[in-house]
Amino acid sequence: MSVDTEIPANARFGSGATLEITQIERELQRLWKDAAENSTKSGGGPVVRACSMSLVAPCSNDLQFEHVATVVEQTALRQPCRAILVKIDLDNKKEEIDATVSTVCALGGPDQKRVCHEQIQIFAAAGSVKSIAPSVLALLVPDVPAYVWAPCEKLLATPILPELSLSADAILLDSHRYSEPFRALERANAIASAHPANRALENLNNAAGSSGGFGVLDLEWVRLQTYFDATATLFEQQGARAMIHDLRTLRIEFAAREVTAAINNTADAKNAARTTSRDWITPALYAGWFASRLGWTLGGERAMTSPGLAELQFEGAGGRRVTLVPRIANDRAGAILNIEFSSSVGRARIARAPGAETGDLSVEVSRLSGPANISYRFQTLDDAEALSRALTRAPRDIYYERAMPISMAFAPK
Amino acid sequence: MTLALRDAPAAEANPFRGSQDGNSHKVDACSIVIFGASGDLTKRKLLPALYNLSLDGFLPSPTSIVGVARKPLPDDDFRAQMKEGIQQFSRRRPANEAAWNELASRLHYISADFSDAGSYEKLRADLESVEKRNGTPPNRLFYLAIPPEFIAVAISNLTKSGLLARSNGNWSRVIVEKPFGIDLESARQLNRQLQQYATEKQIYRIDHYLGKETVQNLLVFRFANGIFEPIWNQKYVDHVQITVAETVGVEGRAGYFDKAGVTRDIIQNHVLQLLSLVAMEPPVAFDADAVRDEKVKVLRSLRPIRESEVQILTSRAQYAGGASGGKTVPGYLQEPGIPPESTTETYAAIHCAVDNWRWSGVPFFLRSGKRLARRATEIAIQFKAPPHLLFRGPAQARMEPNVLTLRIQPDEGISIKFTSKVPGPAPVLQPVRMDFLYGTSFGVEPPEAYERLLLDAAAGDSTLFTRADEVEAAWSFITPILDTWKSLGIADLDTYGSGTWGPRSADDLIARSGRAWRRV
Ligand SMILES: NC(=O)c1ccc[n+]([C@@H]2O[C@H](COP(=O)([O-])OP(=O)(O)OC[C@H]3O[C@@H](n4cnc5c(N)ncnc54)[C@H](OP(=O)(O)O)[C@@H]3O)[C@@H](O)[C@H]2O)c1
């Protein structure tokens, strides 16, 4: 993908503690005009300004900011949007805020057409944090949805995200990238519960018929769709459907980092990977999805049954439980490797070797002649793909909301 | 969060299916069995479509793909041929090796003769063994990419061999390629034959135009926006023009084309489908029967063109030699494989009336032709002038009617033409065009029509497929015109220069109503 960015030289739009919003708008108009003229001159056809959303991404450090800018550029190629990237210098207590504007164009689509989006970058010192939300609000594109992406975990603990969320339709997270994903999700869920759009729905008391409101969209949830689909496919195999309503236990093995030298010599340590809270989020989201899909209700608290294993009990006959088991493996931390489902009539399994894109779905039902075994290709989404898919969803996802209480119960104590 | 939300669509037997991911499409694992696997359509369209679906993760894992044709061929040779097709025709190429290998492992070839009932026993046994090996449940989608004369015999043999039977919640469906008959009688006969062996719900008649992203957007545009529907009627619309223009000539399909002509090849199916989508009433639901019920009502409302009116309301012509796309090209009668006395039309235009409440008095002008000036498919809705003209004098000269154009290909998009004041002290008016282009707005490549349609058929959604009554209603309108043309011989057969916008008779046709063709 070749990206070309038009940033006017020396164009900064801050004057100390405030941003010149009108000038930013004017500059954007000028840039579009220039881009159209340049494109027509070079025979590239008109540059058309279509916009289906505003995407706001606040960040607090340089490295993350660069990554975010790249992901946003790739996402904007799929979703015509106005991107507002905010970099906050938390160490600088002065009252300073500044901005640059640009149109970023890349060749994309079947005919390699120039697809352009507007990008506004706001740089704010910690002393000016209060000016950020009003400035962003003034810069949102009217009438189309606004999404706040929170790539920087640190900012979740500041008032900036709730403030930005007030004028948005959803907050986007990437829980698997956070060091404390459960806490981050808890904060995001709290932002959603307190959001006026959701409160208004609650007051209307007819929320069941409504699709509006403010939602939380987790990119890791989007990446997990391929496991959800694998599960659905597994239970469509001969014999497996009969097991569904009799499922008792679910055991999820997921990849964790290496064992530490300190526990390496103990007997248990062979199985006990060194895990952080971050490693548990992916299997916990899957477990929440699975149990809520079956309508299971929690019957107890998270328990560590042996070193490194976390377990949740559910109500109902036959001892329903979900166990998460970390395993040292050469794969992304938290990546799901094996899932075992068992019921009184048989067992089913999703197995993927560490690092492999393809896995096996197998069913063993006692009555079935011969084991059913099929291969399944898991989709891997890069950040831009995951973000772009999240942006095409309705802001509120009923399945995600139902899974949350169960997933959150797996938070390490 | 404690709010209750609207629930997902009615819970299905599998509680793990269904999500709010707009990218997922509920498809059962199945065998896709392509009859005519050594043919042109399979190589150019079907396998590339299946490859792209697989690359995007839309084909459920234990899906098997089985090619069937007469010639015996080892699986590996068939895979090599299909890979070549993908390398040449897929919208994403070169093929991703991992994705191809995965698809290839589920790709098989079975040789059978469709007209030989005995072949089907072997086909059934071979298919069952492929399904067993791959773990594919016995859901079957038969794609009949075969010459039309074999369709009926293939379906009857499929039924007799039990391959179309459904059991234990498993399904069997058949996709049938166009042409669906060559006139009303043959279409009726084909439908009768199909329905003798399969239920209408099992039959998917493909019109690939309906799989195009912009054609589907037509429904979204009309029914998901509140501002257009109130003016989408005879009170505000002056007329509608539907154009399907090609720059190519017969290009190696002389034998087929000379038997068909542009009216059978394009207008009876694609153009009338576009017309029905533009003119239909809002359906009660976005489901297969509700949408098709409304479409068929439009086709039935087309005012029949009587024999005495054919020369006034239609125009037909053949291209003469000339220049097209910078090259000198032969006339139709000089094309290899075309008999010099052929009267087959390469261009046709029809002035139709939709006799219903909404469209009374609004003419629909349809045209399609080969070797025209540009390749373009579009629908243009021209609105009436404002009731009272305030701007008179020289300024008024530039006042043009509002036109809403829905471009299907190329440069898919929507544009609207309106009148604006030129900056300055004088009231000078000028038409301006506002464009929304998919290509410069969404940098993603839309799926090919065959991708969407294969996926829909596997998911059991026939909204974008043509129902028997639609096909017959379209032929009911077209057949009398074709019959009259036939009896007229060459009396009304016009010619037009290659690289132009069509014959003089077509200009006269629209001029008689005081209008003119748009410059596309
Ligand atoms: N090509 C296109 O772009 C296109 C577009 C729209 C619609 N269509 C329609 O799609 C259908 C197929 O078109 P096509 O262009 O692919 O035709 P094609 O290239 O002539 O292929 C015909 C296929 O049918 C097989 N076949 C013919 N008679 C058979 C028999 N008795 N038993 C078994 N197999 C038999 C042939 O295989 P063997 O001879 O090797 O056995 C070959 O694979 C036609 O109905 C056409 O109108 C095609």
Side-chain angles (χ1 to χ4, degrees), chain B residues 399-414:
Chain B
M399 255 190 78
E400 292 185 12
N402 297 124
V403 180
L404 178 74
T405 313
L406 304 151
R407 260 189 322 283
I408 314 291
Q409 64 188 24
D411 286 335
E412 294 88 338
I414 295 167

Side-chain angles (χ1 to χ4, degrees), chain A residues 87-367:
Chain A
K87 193 164 113 188
I88 307 169
D89 183 354
L90 292 172
D91 300 327
N92 181 353
K93 303 290 177 223
K94 283 191 203 149
E95 266 194 60
E96 280 173 8
I97 188 161
D98 203 354
T100 63
V101 291
S102 51
T103 46
V104 183
C105 298
L107 297 178
D111 308 323
Q112 290 291 294
K113 290 242 164 68
R114 271 162 67 89
V115 183
C116 301
H117 79 278
E118 304 172 329
Q119 200 176 93
I120 302 168
Q121 299 197 349
I122 299 177
F123 307 93
S128 279
V129 154
K130 281 201 169 59
S131 308
I132 296 174
S135 307
V136 169
L137 182 59
L139 289 168
L140 295 178
V141 182
D143 297 328
V144 291
Y147 293 89
V148 177
W149 180 28
C152 304
E153 188 175 8
K154 220 177 192 177
L155 293 180
L156 276 165
T158 69
I160 186 74
L161 279 163
E163 278 172 24
L164 288 173
S165 299
L166 276 180
S167 33
D169 296 85
I171 183 165
L172 293 129
L173 313 172
D174 196 350
S175 60
H176 137 80
R177 287 196 179 273
Y178 299 151
S179 59
E180 294 196 53
F182 291 94
R183 183 161 306 164
L185 284 181
E186 203 176 328
R187 289 197 167 117
N189 293 342
I191 292 175
S193 301
H195 197 279
N198 291 351
R199 296 242 302 279
L201 279 181
E202 224 161 354
N203 292 340
L204 275 176
N205 210 19
N206 71 345
S210 162
S211 57
F214 176 92
V216 178
L217 295 165
D218 184 351
L219 304 197
E220 189 61 358
W221 180 262
V222 175
R223 290 190 197 97
L224 272 172
Q225 294 299 318
T226 188
Y227 285 86
F228 301 163
D229 181 64
T231 311
T233 306
L234 175 67
F235 285 98
E236 271 153 15
Q237 301 315 299
Q238 218 182 359
R241 221 168 251 217
M243 282 168 58
I244 291 178
H245 294 291
D246 185 48
L247 283 167
R248 302 266 166 86
T249 67
L250 171 72
R251 184 185 153 93
I252 307 172
E253 275 183 20
F254 62 97
R257 297 134 215 258
E258 290 171 23
V259 286
T260 59
I263 58 166
N264 212 7
N265 296 328
T266 70
D268 282 332
K270 288 227 161 44
N271 303 318
R274 180 169 63 104
T275 59
T276 64
S277 145
R278 179 182 161 181
D279 302 341
W280 294 87
I281 190 66
T282 308
L285 288 173
Y286 178 88
W289 172 81
F290 172 85
S292 61
R293 277 294 174 123
L294 289 178
W296 289 7
T297 39
L298 278 169
E301 292 198 344
R302 179 195 215 258
M304 300 294 282
T305 50
S306 66
L309 306 194
E311 195 163 277
L312 277 180
Q313 305 280 346
F314 292 83
E315 286 174 3
R320 290 174 180 166
R321 62 173 195 278
V322 175
T323 315
L324 310 190
V325 187
R327 203 178 99 194
I328 303 151
N330 193 11
D331 205 330
R332 198 197 77 168
I336 293 177
L337 301 170
N338 294 321
I339 310 177
E340 279 179 24
F341 310 84
S342 64
S343 80
S344 60
V345 276
R347 294 147 65 82
R349 189 174 144 99
I350 297 176
R352 185 181 65 84
E357 267 188 28
T358 310
D360 285 322
L361 314 185
S362 57
V363 184
E364 268 175 58
V365 181
S366 36
R367 289 192 309 272

Side-chain angles (χ1 to χ4, degrees), chain B residues 35-42 44-45 68-71 109 112-115 144-148 150-151 177-179 208 253 256 450:
Chain B
F35 280 24
S38 55
D40 177 65
L41 186 69
T42 305
R44 278 199 312 124
K45 296 287 181 191
V68 187
R70 270 174 305 197
K71 184 166 67 185
Y109 181 86
D113 184 336
F114 305 138
S115 41
L144 304 188
I146 51 175
F150 289 109
I151 302 276
E177 260 294 347
K178 75 166 199 180
H208 74 274
R253 287 171 73 219
Y256 162 76
Y450 279 94

Side-chain angles (χ1 to χ4, degrees), chain B residues 262-263 267 310 313-317 347-351 365-368 481 485 503 505-507 509 517:
Chain B
V262 76
T263 312
I267 296 183
V310 165
L313 297 177
T314 75
S315 150
R316 63 173 174 141
Y347 176 100
I350 305 178
H351 171 166
F365 298 101
L366 319 180
R367 62 175 163 166
S368 180
I481 300 174
W485 282 347
S505 57
D507 293 339
L509 173 149
W517 293 110

